[in-house]
Amino acid sequence: MKMRKNKAFTLAETLVVMGIIGVVAALTIPNLSASTGNKENVARVQKAYSTINEAFERTQAEYGNLKRWRWADGWNGNDDTDFFANRLLESLKITKNCGRTANLGCFSSSVKYLNGDGAPGDSTTDMYKTILADGSSLGIMVASGVISFYVDIDGPKKGPATFGKDIFDFYISNGGISGEKYKLLSDSSNLMENTSVSSSAWTSAFKYGSGLATWILQTGNMDYLKATNGVCQKGGKTLTLSGNTTCR
């Protein structure tokens, strides 16, 4: 009777296979993690826009059209910032209210633009700062005829605290969209509503990160992070809403 020989991998063969698996994992897992993280951030930006917009609509329903409010400084100053923020916060769930007081921990203390330049953070006394129930930071500022909202989607103590990565801005203009109609915009240059906006406005958005909530809301991606000033690092495509909306 013949004995059967059990076939098995040698130790050397097993180590080679494990080495190959390790190399493949090292190459793919970071990309998968980044992709998953970006999808989560896209969802958070969409939620932030929806949350602020719904609160704004409820505030107008309660107090009437913004144009008829008794603004102390005509949409331009700290009194108006406090005035608007206190009314809006009635329609939001918050866990911490820092007002305009500096360095109470409602916003990151080291905010940056996408190109690395410094930006206003927790130390500013012009911005009304709170932490919402979902853990995100919300800053509100009224100046120069514009109500500005700054959202750090992962809160004051997590993430890179960088515009276009985890900090995004939204706006309401004193001029409204038409006549007395006000709408929450996802950028100061009205990139979403105005299709004739110059390419230089997008170049600035891709460079500094301000206004990129528009890109996310329109495309559902953050591929500008795979680009330099809007030009994809692989392939050299230029990102535009009317053309290349992805670097893939």
Side-chain angles (χ1 to χ4, degrees):
M1 182 176 179
K2 293 183 178 180
M3 297 291 293
R4 290 185 180 180
K5 292 183 178 180
N6 293 325
K7 294 182 179 180
F9 290 110
T10 66
L11 178 59
E13 290 172 330
T14 302
L15 292 175
V16 169
V17 172
M18 292 178 64
I20 293 173
I21 293 173
V23 170
V24 173
L27 292 173
T28 59
I29 290 177
N31 290 332
L32 291 174
S33 298
S35 177
T36 301
N38 286 345
K39 288 181 180 179
E40 291 177 352
N41 287 343
V42 166
R44 289 176 179 176
V45 172
Q46 293 168 338
K47 179 184 177 183
Y49 178 81
S50 177
T51 297
I52 296 172
N53 191 53
E54 289 175 5
F56 170 58
E57 294 296 338
R58 287 196 296 269
T59 301
Q60 280 206 123
E62 174 70 20
Y63 292 102
N65 188 282
L66 293 183
K67 190 175 287 291
R68 296 181 176 85
W69 289 17
R70 294 184 178 180
W71 297 91
D73 303 313
W75 290 55
N76 189 35
N78 290 337
D79 288 340
D80 286 343
T81 295
D82 293 340
F83 176 53
F84 178 82
N86 283 313
R87 286 192 168 185
L88 184 77
L89 293 180
E90 293 176 7
S91 298
L92 289 169
K93 294 180 180 179
I94 64 173
T95 59
K96 187 174 182 178
N97 188 339
C98 298
R100 287 187 296 102
T101 304
N103 302 319
L104 291 185
C106 280
F107 219 85
S108 173
S109 58
S110 56
V111 177
K112 301 183 296 295
Y113 290 111
L114 197 55
N115 70 342
D117 290 351
D122 203 33
S123 62
T124 180
T125 57
D126 295 327
M127 182 168 66
Y128 196 107
K129 302 169 287 289
T130 65
I131 297 179
L132 302 183
D134 63 2
S136 62
S137 295
L138 172 63
I140 301 170
M141 185 183 302
V142 181
S144 302
V146 176
I147 302 171
S148 304
F149 305 87
Y150 303 98
V151 180
D152 187 332
I153 57 176
D154 48 19
K157 296 182 179 180
K158 296 181 181 178
T162 300
F163 275 85
K165 290 185 177 180
D166 60 345
I167 295 181
F168 298 90
D169 42 347
F170 305 92
Y171 300 87
I172 298 171
S173 171
N174 191 12
I177 297 298
S178 59
E180 292 189 0
K181 182 180 178 182
Y182 294 95
K183 183 176 180 180
L184 181 67
L185 303 175
S186 52
D187 58 88
S188 58
S189 299
N190 203 4
L191 299 172
M192 179 180 281
E193 302 291 335
N194 186 357
T195 56
S196 64
V197 169
S198 66
S199 59
S200 62
W202 273 115
T203 300
S204 177
F206 288 136
K207 180 178 181 181
Y208 295 103
S210 179
L212 289 179
T214 285
W215 181 269
I216 292 174
L217 294 174
Q218 290 280 39
T219 68
N221 69 53
M222 298 176 70
D223 273 20
Y224 54 81
L225 295 178
K226 303 175 184 177
T228 301
N229 295 337
V231 179
C232 296
Q233 295 163 357
K234 291 184 179 180
K237 293 191 297 185
T238 298
L239 295 174
T240 64
L241 283 181
S242 59
N244 299 315
T245 59
T246 178
C247 284
R248 289 179 292 178

